[in-house]
Amino acid sequence: QGQLVESGGGSVQAGGSLTLSCAYTLKYVPCMTWFRRFTGKEREGVARFYNGYPMYADAVKGRFTISRDNANHTLVLQMNNLKPEDTAMYYCAADTSGKGCSWHIHEYHYWGQGTQVTVSS
């Protein structure tokens, strides 16, 4: 079974930046996505990378950048101009079905353990 391991979370003041990384060992991963979960709520999509194209949730457009390094099997989320409302647990997820790439969490069968991001005002 494949494995996803996130790193790079932490605490930062509003306006600051953090870079999250997700190291993966899966061989075929057409769709990889960053999700986040606010306390007491279900996970929501943040940014996804499908067949070389990124897509972002409206809440993070212009501030977050997703990229993928296939040679090093790493998915990266660069987060700039962070806001207190970005405080959440961030997860890396992979959909290996090859049927597309969506925000629906039930379509992802591989998840990392999560990394906490805390933004103070």
Side-chain angles (χ1 to χ4, degrees):
Q1 187 172 355
Q3 185 175 16
L4 306 175
V5 180
E6 303 99 334
S7 62
S11 297
V12 66
Q13 289 191 327
S17 298
L18 283 172
T19 302
L20 305 183
S21 295
C22 173
Y24 59 91
T25 57
L26 298 163
K27 291 185 178 180
Y28 174 67
V29 199
C31 170
M32 294 198 75
T33 299
W34 285 99
F35 288 85
R36 64 186 179 186
R37 185 179 65 192
F38 301 114
T39 301
K41 296 196 175 182
E42 186 52 273
R43 288 161 287 183
E44 65 175 38
V46 175
R48 64 185 194 233
F49 203 86
Y50 180 57
N51 285 343
Y53 292 95
M55 186 171 289
Y56 302 93
D58 289 343
V60 305
K61 280 181 181 176
R63 300 188 298 122
F64 290 11
T65 302
I66 188 172
S67 61
R68 181 170 170 175
D69 182 346
N70 290 323
N72 292 305
H73 299 274
T74 304
L75 183 74
V76 176
L77 184 68
Q78 176 65 43
M79 305 185 295
N80 297 326
N81 191 22
L82 282 160
K83 304 176 181 180
E85 51 263 43
D86 294 317
T87 295
M89 183 72 78
Y90 284 71
Y91 298 88
C92 172
D95 176 357
T96 60
S97 69
K99 296 180 180 179
C101 198
S102 77
W103 299 123
H104 299 300
I105 60 174
H106 65 271
E107 294 185 1
Y108 292 81
H109 298 289
Y110 299 95
W111 292 86
Q113 80 287 354
T115 185
Q116 179 67 37
V117 171
T118 302
V119 185
S120 59
S121 58

